[in-house]
């Protein structure tokens, strides 16, 4: 057992703090974590305070009698700033975005009370990829969480997606000779095609199915609803 | 790892055209089994140096040979600055643009060079510190350092390029690196006897070796100051037959060049230290990760390893492999270095697990800095008492400082741990000092009223570099240079560092140009620096905001 904001949480050996909290039905904000896949630790939204140190809950092993603090004013502010950095570094056009209302980045922004970018937008130029017959890649929205890479490798056993580049030029790449998604064996049936927490990996057909007001996060905030994809069914989260 | 004579390591300006035979022969001369997937990064480094670039046919060939997907090769090329797909120019100039070089006039020189070389077959770029801040202005030409380019010789330099003079025919003196020690100490001036430390180690049990290192109080000289004996002990305790020793020779912290001295002048002490560490923990293989900027030291080190092989110290039980980096500061972070050694992009991995438990190829690994291994050899040869006879109680021993900037005597100084900043400034003959940056951009800024601070592990700025700035310098220029460095070197893995370093550069620009919003911009910068410190994945991101905090601190102090 460890304590999360004063609540006792049971865990199994090898669980991270986030895994254990997730199983127990407690929400710690996150974007790059998914219970089905290996932790990444890159988005840093799941930062928690442990023994006077701030660590990512998805990579920090749970330990007995640990006192973990997640829902503090300071950490909420840090998470807000991280979300704002993610918005500033990409090109996010929520009003016209296919996943608006179903987007985990947007939902967390609402949840954390984001009202503006705070940082000057970087307005990067990013290469798009429309080469695949069923999937479109909008790199403008990519947050480099590598969930697609992990899903493709660990579940689809295809290893289609990877991260390349360095620093602010880090970008999603595809394992094909010409570097295009269309030349890989990626398919709509892949788990990786339905794992993107934002609107980077999109189906070409069947977008905007829900009217505003009836989308995933329109009525229920992400801290209650959990991190889901509308097309994923949402069985995996509390 | 067969022949120490490696063609790809010679300075040249004529690159052979692509040939699979030449590529395969070169790689085979280097490794018995060159096409293991984990060697792929080293292969790219060698191909780059041999052919001047890594074209699509080369990528296709290497991908076929190694079984590594071509997209992964491209991911490596896009991560490591010194790997390039584009066809090479005859001369590729990379000027170091650390603040020391900026102050020495690198921008003006680059302008002159650009003007004079207009239309020539050359590419002119800047790069981060190349470990020659005591020889400003320095640059790499096709990977090899030309030191002390000045207004006086820039004409001759450009003439050679205009004439198309082959690099191997350029005056040797232009490539000279001066490793003079201006102040010697125990580590740099004891009667070293090759192999004696190993003999001593062999007469002791593993535990006794580690105890001896612990008794000396040796701490990691890379800058973290972590007790070496603890690292070794932890690795020794792991119940795993395969363990590794890794020597971190990737000193990329701007203004640091102390390891350059050891790597070129005391190679044997470093190798002996690695063998001692191997005996202490029971390691089967060692690796030296040499930064790409030190390409010119590759051959001397490889020759040094060959000597130890010939004498039987390196053998089937324990041998050392030399790896070359390719222009990524982050690979000095130990977990990123381990990734890079395994042939991957240098992205730091989460800790725990720590390398001592799960390091290179998931095996227990001791990672130490070059100077730490040199000191280990000293301790085994001279005893722990001799080592701790200088220094302070918590930071025993002495260490080498790389001193650069506004002083009459830049260079290398070995001083006891705990030597006050003031004393070092007097030794290097610095006048009218505004401030001192100790430990590089991620270290500490000391102001005159702090010059009594001892340089040791108890105070920030522990990486062994001291950059001196006099009162003619602008703190804004220094700070901007430092945070642009971090933006350039962020690996891009985690949000606060990847985006935060860019946002910080933007905020500083606003601070500089919007006098009416100074207070707002100032508090935004402080908040961002703290956010990066608090939430970043690794040490780079955690310290990338420090120059801003130091800067604002000093501005406040002056106002």
């Amino acid at each position: 057992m460890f304590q999360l904001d004063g609540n006792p949480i049971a865990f199994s050996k090898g669980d991270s703090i986030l895994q254990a909290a997730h199983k127990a039905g407690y929400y710690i904000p996150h974007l790059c974590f998914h219970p089905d896949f290996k932790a990444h630790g890159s988005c840093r939204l799941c930062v928690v305070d442990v023994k006077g140190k701030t660590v990512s809950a998805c990579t920090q092993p749970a330990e007995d009698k640990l006192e973990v603090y997640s829902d503090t004013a300071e950490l909420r502010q840090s998470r807000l700033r991280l979300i704002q950095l993610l918005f500033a570094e990409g090109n996010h056009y929520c009003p016209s975005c296919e996943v608006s209302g179903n987007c985990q980045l947007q939902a967390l922004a609402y949840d954390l009370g984001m009202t503006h970018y705070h940082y000057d937008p970087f307005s990067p130029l990013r290469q798009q990829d429309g080469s695949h017959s069923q999937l479109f890649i909008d790199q403008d929205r990519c947050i480099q969480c590598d969930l697609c890479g992990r899903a493709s490798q660990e579940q689809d056993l295809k290893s289609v997606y990877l991260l390349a580049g360095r620093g602010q030029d880090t970008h999603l790449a595809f394992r094909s000779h010409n570097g295009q998604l269309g030349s890989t064996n990626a398919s709509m049936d892949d788990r990786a095609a339905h794992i993107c927490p934002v609107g980077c990996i999109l189906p070409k057909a069947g977008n905007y199915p829900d009217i505003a007001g009836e989308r995933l996060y329109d009525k229920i905030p992400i801290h209650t609803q959990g991190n889901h994809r509308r097309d994923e069914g949402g069985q995996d989260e509390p | 790892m067969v022949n120490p004579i490696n063609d790809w390591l010679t300075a040249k300006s004529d690159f052979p055209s692509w040939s699979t035979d030449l590529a395969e022969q070169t790689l085979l001369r280097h490794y018995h089994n060159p096409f293991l997937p984990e060697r792929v990064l080293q292969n790219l480094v060698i191909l780059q140096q041999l052919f001047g670039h890594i074209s699509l046919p080369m990528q296709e060939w290497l991908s076929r040979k190694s079984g590594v997907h071509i997209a992964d090769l491209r991911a490596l090329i896009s991560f490591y600055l010194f790997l390039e797909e584009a066809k090479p120019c005859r001369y590729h100039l990379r000027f170091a643009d650390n603040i020391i070089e900026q102050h020495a006039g690198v921008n003006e020189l680059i302008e002159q060079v650009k003007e004079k070389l207009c239309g020539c077959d050359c590419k002119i770029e800047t790069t981060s510190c190349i470990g020659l801040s005591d020889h400003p202005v320095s640059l790499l030409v096709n990977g090899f350092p030309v030191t002390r380019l000045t207004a006086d010789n820039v004409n001759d330099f450009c003439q050679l390029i205009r004439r198309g003079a082959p690099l191997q025919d350029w005056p040797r003196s232009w490539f000279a690196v001066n490793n003079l020690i201006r102040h010697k100490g125990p580590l740099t001036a004891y009667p070293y006897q090759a192999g004696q430390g190993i003999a001593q180690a062999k007469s002791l049990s593993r535990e006794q070796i580690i105890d001896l290192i612990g008794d000396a109080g040796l701490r990691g000289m890379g800058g973290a100051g972590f007790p070496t004996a603890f690292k070794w002990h932890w690795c020794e305790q792991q119940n795993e037959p395969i363990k590794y020793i890794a020597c971190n020779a990737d000193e990329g912290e701007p203004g640091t060049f102390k390891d350059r001295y050891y790597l070129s002048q005391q190679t044997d002490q470093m190798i002996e230290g690695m063998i001692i560490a191997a005996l202490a923990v029971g390691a089967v293989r060692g690796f030296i990760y040499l930064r790409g900027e030190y390409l010119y030291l590759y051959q001397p080190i490889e020759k040094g390893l060959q000597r130890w092989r010939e004498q039987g110290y390196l053998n089937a039980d324990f041998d050392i492999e030399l790896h070359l980096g390719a222009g990524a500061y982050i690979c000095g972070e130990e977990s990123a270095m381990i990734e890079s050694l395994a042939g991957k992009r240098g992205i730091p991995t989460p800790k725990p697990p720590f390398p001592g438990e799960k390091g290179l190829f998931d095996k227990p690994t001791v990672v130490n800095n070059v100077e730490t291994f040199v000191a280990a050899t000293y301790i085994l040869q001279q005893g722990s008492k001799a080592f701790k006879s200088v220094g302070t109680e918590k930071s025993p021993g002495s260490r080498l400082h790389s001193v650069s900037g506004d002083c009459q005597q830049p260079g290398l100084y070995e001083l006891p741990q705990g030597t006050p900043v003031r004393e070092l400034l007097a030794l290097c003959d610095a006048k009218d000092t505004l401030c001192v940056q100790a430990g590089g951009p991620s270290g500490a800024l000391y102001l005159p009223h702090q010059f009594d601070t001892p340089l040791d592990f108890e105070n920030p700025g522990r990486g062994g570099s001291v950059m001196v700035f006099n009162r003619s310098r602008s703190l804004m220029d220094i700070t901007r240079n430092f945070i642009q460095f971090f933006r350039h070197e962020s690996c891009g893995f985690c949000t606060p560092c990847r985006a935060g370093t860019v946002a910080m550069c933007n905020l500083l620009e606003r601070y500089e140009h919007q006098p009416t919003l100074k207070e707002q911009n100032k508090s935004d910068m402080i908040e961002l620096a703290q956010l990066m410190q608090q939430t970043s994945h690794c040490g780079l991101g955690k310290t990338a905001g420090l120059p801003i905090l130091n800067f604002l601190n000093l501005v406040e102090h002056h106002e």
Side-chain angles (χ1 to χ4, degrees), chain A residues 183-201:
Chain A
S183 310
T184 67
N185 59 349
S187 118
M188 269 306 276
D189 304 328
D190 293 343
R191 185 73 191 276
H194 306 277
I195 198 81
C196 183
V198 292
C200 173
I201 303 177

Side-chain angles (χ1 to χ4, degrees), chain A residues 30-51:
Chain A
H30 58 271
L31 282 171
C32 72
F33 168 82
H34 192 291
D36 294 353
F37 306 109
K38 228 168 37 199
H40 200 233
S42 62
C43 76
R44 312 308 286 176
L45 280 163
C46 70
V47 282
V48 291
D49 288 337
V50 178
K51 296 186 216 162

Side-chain angles (χ1 to χ4, degrees), chain A residues 40-44 54 77-78 81 86 89 118 120 122 144 162-163 165-167 170 174-177 179, chain B residues 60 69 71-72 74 78-79 327 345 488-491 493-496 498-499 510 524 527 531 534-536:
Chain A
H40 200 233
S42 62
C43 76
R44 312 308 286 176
T54 304
Q77 176 69 10
S78 296
R81 290 292 183 245
L86 284 170
E89 77 163 342
H118 187 73
D120 289 340
F122 304 177
Q144 286 99 34
L162 73 154
L163 290 175
R166 170 169 117 188
T170 305
F174 315 100
R175 280 195 182 83
S176 65
H177 185 271
Chain B
E60 286 168 341
H69 199 285
D72 292 284
R74 279 197 296 261
S78 63
F79 185 87
R345 290 160 79 231
H488 186 257
E489 296 299 340
S490 167
C491 81
F493 175 75
C494 75
T495 312
R498 183 185 64 235
R510 284 213 317 214
D524 284 347
E527 189 200 42
L531 178 77
Q534 178 200 22
T535 64
S536 286

Side-chain angles (χ1 to χ4, degrees), chain B residues 325-392:
Chain B
Y329 164 77
I330 187 61
C331 291
E333 199 279 341
E334 61 179 1
S335 68
M337 190 187 90
I338 284 169
E339 289 290 286
S340 189
L341 278 173
K344 301 182 204 162
R345 290 160 79 231
I347 307 283
T349 53
K351 295 172 188 171
F354 289 90
E357 188 186 335
K358 225 175 162 194
L360 185 58
F361 306 121
D362 285 342
K363 303 293 181 195
T365 307
V366 164
V367 184
N368 280 136
N369 170 258
V370 173
E371 195 175 14
T372 313
F373 285 120
V374 170
T377 303
Y378 177 89
I379 292 164
L380 267 287
Q381 295 213 357
Q382 302 287 308
S384 55
K385 273 208 183 68
F387 182 79
K388 61 184 180 187
S389 66
V390 294
T392 68

